[in-house]
Amino acid sequence: MTMMNIVNQLQGIGVSPGIAIGRARVIRQQEAGMTGVALTDEAAVRREMAQFHDAVGRSTEELTELMAKAETAVAEILEVQVELLHDPMWEGEVLTAIGEDKKNAGDAVLEVTRALVKTFGDMEDEYLRARAADIADIGKRVMRHLRSEERTREGAADIPEGYERGGPWRSRPNEVLSGSVVPGRDRDGAMNAVDGADTILVATDLSPSDLIALDISRVIGFATRAGGKTSHASIVARLRGIAAVAGCGEGLDAIADGDMLVLDGATGILLVSPAPEVVEQYIERRKEQLATTRFLQSLKSKEAITMDGTAVHLSANIGSIEDMEQALEYGAQGVGLLRTELLFMQSNSLPTEEEQFIFYKNILVRAAGRPVTIRTLDIGGDKALPYLPLPKEDNPFLGYRAIRISLDQKDLFLTQLKAILRASVFGECRILLPMIGSVQELRQAKTLIAEAKEVLTKQLLPYDADIRTGIMIEVPSAAIMADQLAKEADFFSIGTNDLCQYTLAVDRMNEKIKALYDPFHPAVLRLIRSVIEQGYLHHIPVEMCGELAGDPQATLLLLGMGLRDFSMNAPSIPVVKNIILQTNMTVARAVCHQEMNKIV
Ligand code: PEP
Ligand code: MG
């Protein structure tokens, strides 16, 4: 029995917002068994090795072809798979299993793939755990070639032909929305019940090749048993605006084709066979959300200008190339904050100059001339690197953090600066220094930037000699001394997250005192306003990249203070833009006056 008549709620991780109401289409992973046939002579070993090489070659060609037609984020995933195909960890192990353990090629591929999938699947790091799906995917691809099968969609193989081509399915896309479907399986069976534009895919995880093979333009939601924000299905779901919930766990196994599902990609809730009145509530919520989303999408290419003509620049805070894609989707005019520590946190060892250079360059190229502000490493506090042990401290947020580490570990800093400088010729690039607390620190950092430039000049490597260097204003001492700092920095970017915690002496991570963490506190607002004023006085741009910049409640207040450059998480851009388009500066100044003078 399925969960058909049981109201059931699964709690997963919301990885792509939106409400999807539809029928389940369950994709079961098919796993081929081993034959156990051992190789008895050297000729057989040579033959199996040759067949394996041939299958790897054909898989590489196939992936390269797929890469050419895939969107950037998926192409990057496929590129990782091509690398994995030739990685000694996988290819080398398979060859050893054939040559030394005398396994036939098929058994060797299955054995090595399963072992690696398990190893990666058990890893703590979310990014590495998600790589298990890549390894499983290449294993399946190579197996298919080894068996000389025609190209089939393994893992997604039980999706009927008509699904991909939009063929014999009897589509009933809007029945659910119009409220005419009673939750539960139809009399005419699951297959007909899941077609059309109201399909929610239910799978263990969806590999890149599944996603390419499927016509997901007809799918309104994904629910996966495994995975998290960085798994493939989640990345593609966000890119395509499909609601998705990952990490639903074992509960997902009980779902059958045709089960009625309600999925909320924001909260991570998945309802299985909900009561009709619950469906009705979600239908209403979905209608409201859709109307808002459509309206906000229509603002994408509009400039953010107030009704009385004040232009505002809206950029995105990003940490990865996927975030960059998302930023462009939401109409970001640039990147106001690239948190480089995310690259460091996803690596197993310090990223080399070359690895960093490629990462920064890819983002600049994708930004296509829009300004990109690269913040140098901001670790310490709550951000640790497993391979770079930091001393245990009683007050890590007040300790060895951000620029303090960079100025202390000069080689680490110089490597990053060289990578940023080399990438700077690929677009409009700026350097941002985190947690500067004094003019001395800024000067020391600038001396190291000059040193990095000198090294590159000697190496005959090109860089933007006029690259601008700005500082985060996130420590009260910097905000108070903004007049002095403005003479030596090219721009300011206000980090309200830290500025608030340091000004109010409220740990931003401490749940117990979270009510005291108030970026609207007049003490914080006064500092912000004075920093903006100093920027105007010294003719340097002042931007804001802390969370307050993306808070719609703060938009008028900040505009009224004179802020014109906001950087935020991409989905907030259209929301903030909508407010800007509907206001004028008189209103904004009045809101600002009121907020600044409130008694606390
Ligand atoms: C800030 O402190 O406001 C900021 C943007 O930096 P982070 O959140 O990365 O500390
Ligand atoms: Mg900060």
Side-chain angles (χ1 to χ4, degrees):
M1 181 173 122
T2 72
M3 289 193 242
M4 290 295 309
N5 302 313
I6 308 165
V7 175
N8 208 325
Q9 176 170 333
L10 301 180
Q11 181 67 58
I13 308 160
V15 291
S16 181
I19 291 173
I21 302 165
R23 300 283 178 171
R25 186 65 179 117
V26 182
I27 299 174
R28 305 266 174 228
Q29 301 307 123
Q30 287 182 346
E31 202 173 38
M34 296 196 199
T35 63
V37 176
L39 308 176
T40 48
D41 56 35
E42 279 311 305
V45 169
R46 280 198 298 278
R47 185 195 63 228
E48 292 297 303
M49 281 194 176
Q51 277 179 6
F52 171 66
H53 283 304
D54 185 50
V56 169
R58 281 193 280 155
S59 301
T60 309
E61 271 170 35
E62 205 172 61
L63 284 168
T64 314
E65 269 171 38
L66 287 172
M67 266 157 67
K69 52 184 186 190
E71 60 237 280
T72 321
V74 178
E76 276 168 12
I77 294 166
L78 297 174
E79 204 177 323
V80 170
Q81 293 200 356
V82 172
E83 278 166 25
L84 280 171
L85 265 177
H86 301 282
D87 193 300
M89 180 181 64
W90 187 80
E91 190 180 38
E93 286 292 310
V94 174
L95 289 171
T96 308
I98 300 172
E100 287 176 19
D101 306 339
K102 309 289 181 241
K103 305 240 173 200
N104 67 67
D107 282 5
V109 167
L110 283 175
E111 187 180 86
V112 171
T113 307
R114 280 176 194 166
L116 282 175
V117 166
K118 166 116 189 45
T119 309
F120 275 77
D122 289 344
M123 285 187 179
E124 282 204 358
D125 181 287
E126 192 195 344
Y127 176 82
L128 292 177
R129 219 171 37 243
R131 300 291 70 76
D134 285 309
I135 296 166
D137 210 24
I138 60 167
K140 280 192 287 181
R141 190 175 294 281
V142 171
M143 280 306 289
R144 178 157 43 75
H145 285 298
L146 272 177
R147 292 185 171 143
S148 301
E149 285 172 10
E150 282 299 298
R151 182 180 173 281
T152 56
R153 300 182 304 270
E154 289 178 41
D158 60 346
I159 292 220
E161 280 299 298
Y163 183 88
E164 204 175 1
R165 302 196 195 109
W169 296 86
R170 297 209 312 273
S171 183
R172 303 172 305 165
N174 292 316
E175 275 180 342
V176 177
L177 275 180
S178 62
S180 64
V181 170
V182 179
R185 197 189 297 252
D186 275 12
R187 261 187 302 120
D188 53 349
M191 296 303 250
N192 286 334
V194 295
D195 74 303
D198 61 349
T199 299
I200 296 178
L201 289 185
V202 174
T204 301
D205 200 356
L206 290 162
S207 69
S209 28
D210 291 335
L211 293 166
I212 288 165
L214 293 171
D215 177 7
I216 55 171
S217 61
R218 306 179 59 182
V219 170
I220 56 163
F222 296 160
T224 57
R225 189 184 202 268
K229 273 207 158 74
T230 53
S231 57
H232 307 122
S234 311
I235 294 168
V236 175
R238 281 198 296 278
L239 269 176
R240 306 241 174 121
I242 297 171
V245 175
C248 295
E250 288 167 10
L252 211 71
D253 297 348
I255 298 176
D257 271 342
D259 280 355
M260 183 70 187
L261 300 180
V262 170
L263 174 155
D264 186 340
T267 59
I269 286 174
L270 179 69
L271 301 177
V272 186
S273 304
E277 49 291 4
V278 176
V279 177
E280 283 300 333
Q281 283 164 14
Y282 273 91
I283 287 170
E284 280 312 307
R285 235 188 268 177
R286 200 181 99 109
K287 274 188 200 152
E288 284 160 23
Q289 271 190 8
L290 280 179
T292 314
T293 308
R294 267 193 217 111
F295 170 69
L296 291 175
Q297 267 168 358
S298 72
L299 304 180
K300 179 177 168 181
S301 46
K302 268 209 160 109
E303 286 185 37
I305 302 181
T306 60
M307 284 160 69
D308 50 349
T310 297
V312 180
H313 200 261
L314 301 181
S315 310
N317 293 350
I318 68 166
S320 63
I321 193 84
E322 286 81 28
D323 291 351
M324 181 71 223
E325 299 292 341
Q326 195 196 33
L328 296 175
E329 283 287 309
Y330 282 97
Q333 290 169 284
V335 173
L337 172 65
L338 167 57
R339 287 185 164 100
T340 60
E341 54 276 10
L342 297 187
L343 168 74
F344 284 70
M345 287 159 88
Q346 282 170 3
S347 305
N348 285 326
S349 54
L350 275 177
T352 61
E353 180 183 319
E354 198 57 26
E355 281 163 353
Q356 291 188 55
F357 162 66
I358 292 169
F359 175 67
Y360 306 142
K361 176 187 143 185
N362 285 343
I363 286 176
L364 279 155
V365 168
R366 198 66 191 92
R370 296 172 185 87
V372 174
T373 307
I374 304 183
R375 181 174 74 181
T376 61
L377 194 57
D378 184 10
I379 46 164
D382 59 326
K383 298 174 205 157
L385 298 179
Y387 49 84
L388 188 80
L390 297 175
K392 184 145 179 35
E393 297 173 297
D394 288 340
N395 292 303
F397 274 104
L398 299 180
Y400 193 55
R401 244 200 97 176
I403 196 73
R404 298 171 182 176
I405 296 181
S406 295
L407 294 179
D408 183 50
Q409 305 202 22
K410 293 197 176 58
D411 288 344
L412 182 78
F413 194 36
L414 280 170
T415 304
Q416 180 168 41
L417 291 173
K418 281 194 280 166
I420 298 174
L421 285 164
R422 283 172 59 197
S424 65
V425 291
F426 291 92
E428 178 67 33
C429 177
R430 309 184 311 165
I431 298 174
L432 180 60
L433 305 167
M435 226 198 153
I436 290 284
S438 68
V439 173
Q440 295 313 324
E441 279 176 342
L442 170 58
R443 286 187 185 159
Q444 284 172 38
K446 284 172 80 172
T447 304
L448 289 164
I449 294 171
E451 196 175 317
K453 285 182 180 174
E454 257 175 54
V455 177
L456 293 180
T457 306
K458 282 197 193 119
Q459 292 176 332
L460 302 177
L461 289 170
Y463 61 87
D464 174 6
D466 299 321
I467 194 163
R468 280 170 297 155
T469 304
I471 59 171
M472 297 277 298
I473 301 285
E474 51 185 345
V475 179
S477 61
I480 294 163
M481 304 303 283
D483 58 331
Q484 290 189 357
L485 287 160
K487 292 183 191 140
E488 308 202 19
D490 295 324
F491 63 97
F492 287 158
S493 186
I494 306 175
T496 52
N497 310 341
D498 278 317
L499 187 61
C500 179
Q501 77 163 340
Y502 293 133
T503 306
L504 303 178
V506 177
D507 180 347
R508 68 194 250 195
M509 312 293 288
N510 191 332
E511 273 293 300
K512 222 171 158 62
I513 49 168
K514 68 174 184 225
L516 295 177
Y517 184 89
D518 176 17
F520 290 86
H521 191 295
V524 182
L525 299 183
R526 284 183 195 191
L527 284 181
I528 295 174
R529 188 176 59 181
S530 115
V531 171
I532 295 172
E533 279 169 5
Q534 289 305 325
Y536 275 103
L537 281 174
H538 292 88
H539 309 288
I540 64 163
V542 177
E543 311 172 4
M544 180 178 286
C545 63
E547 291 302 305
L548 195 66
D551 183 343
Q553 311 268 12
T555 309
L556 294 182
L557 161 69
L558 296 171
L559 269 182
M561 282 188 192
L563 189 76
R564 299 292 176 263
D565 270 284
F566 295 62
S567 190
M568 61 197 76
N569 296 329
S572 302
I573 292 176
V575 181
V576 169
K577 189 188 284 186
N578 186 31
I579 296 171
I580 293 168
L581 288 169
Q582 293 180 46
T583 196
N584 63 51
M585 290 312 298
T586 313
V587 173
R589 284 192 199 102
V591 169
C592 176
H593 182 77
Q594 200 183 351
E595 275 296 307
M596 299 291 302
N597 292 300
K598 76 177 179 213
I599 310 278
V600 286

